[in-house]
Amino acid sequence: QVQLVESGGGLVQPGGSLRLSCAASGSIFSIYAMGWYRQAPGKQRGLVAAITSGGSTTYADYVQGRFTISSDNAKNTVYLQMNSLKPEDTAVYYCNARSPEYGHPTQPWGQGTQVTVSS
């Protein structure tokens, strides 16, 4: 198992930016893909963005053009740069490794980091 710890969340005004970090206890170099997920109150947890070991990325429609996922293998860290934030982006954000088959999360869910977008 790879231990994952999310950080960087907080309170931000609409239109603002926030950068989330996902630090891994071990190397993420050999992991097929990593993803950021979010869960808003009363809603299902869903995929926000994903990045493969080869650098390919994918995004949910509702964050396309606003969010950017990236990774730094030397630091064993995955990032999510969030720009033009909207109140509907408010949620707990989680990171996880993704399996080659169907992109299923492979690690236990951590505590996540709270992102609140409000005036």
Side-chain angles (χ1 to χ4, degrees), residues 1-2 24 26-34 51-54 71-74 76 97-100 106-107:
Q1 286 189 168
V2 176
S27 176
I28 61 172
F29 181 75
S30 61
I31 297 176
Y32 176 74
M34 294 290 293
I51 185 168
T52 69
S53 59
S71 62
D72 186 335
N73 291 335
N76 293 324
R98 293 167 57 79
S99 66
T106 68
Q107 306 301 310

Side-chain angles (χ1 to χ4, degrees), residues 69-84:
I69 187 171
S70 62
S71 62
D72 186 335
N73 291 335
K75 296 181 178 180
N76 293 324
T77 302
V78 177
Y79 304 95
L80 184 67
Q81 178 65 50
M82 306 184 294
N83 299 324
S84 302

Side-chain angles (χ1 to χ4, degrees), residues 2-25:
V2 176
Q3 301 299 311
L4 303 169
V5 180
E6 303 93 342
S7 63
L11 176 64
V12 65
Q13 294 184 323
S17 298
L18 215 54
R19 180 170 172 267
L20 307 183
S21 297
C22 172
S25 61

Side-chain angles (χ1 to χ4, degrees), residues 32-57:
Y32 176 74
M34 294 290 293
W36 279 99
Y37 304 75
R38 74 185 189 188
Q39 185 169 31
K43 297 183 179 180
Q44 296 275 70
R45 176 155 45 201
L47 180 68
V48 175
I51 185 168
T52 69
S53 59
S56 297
T57 59

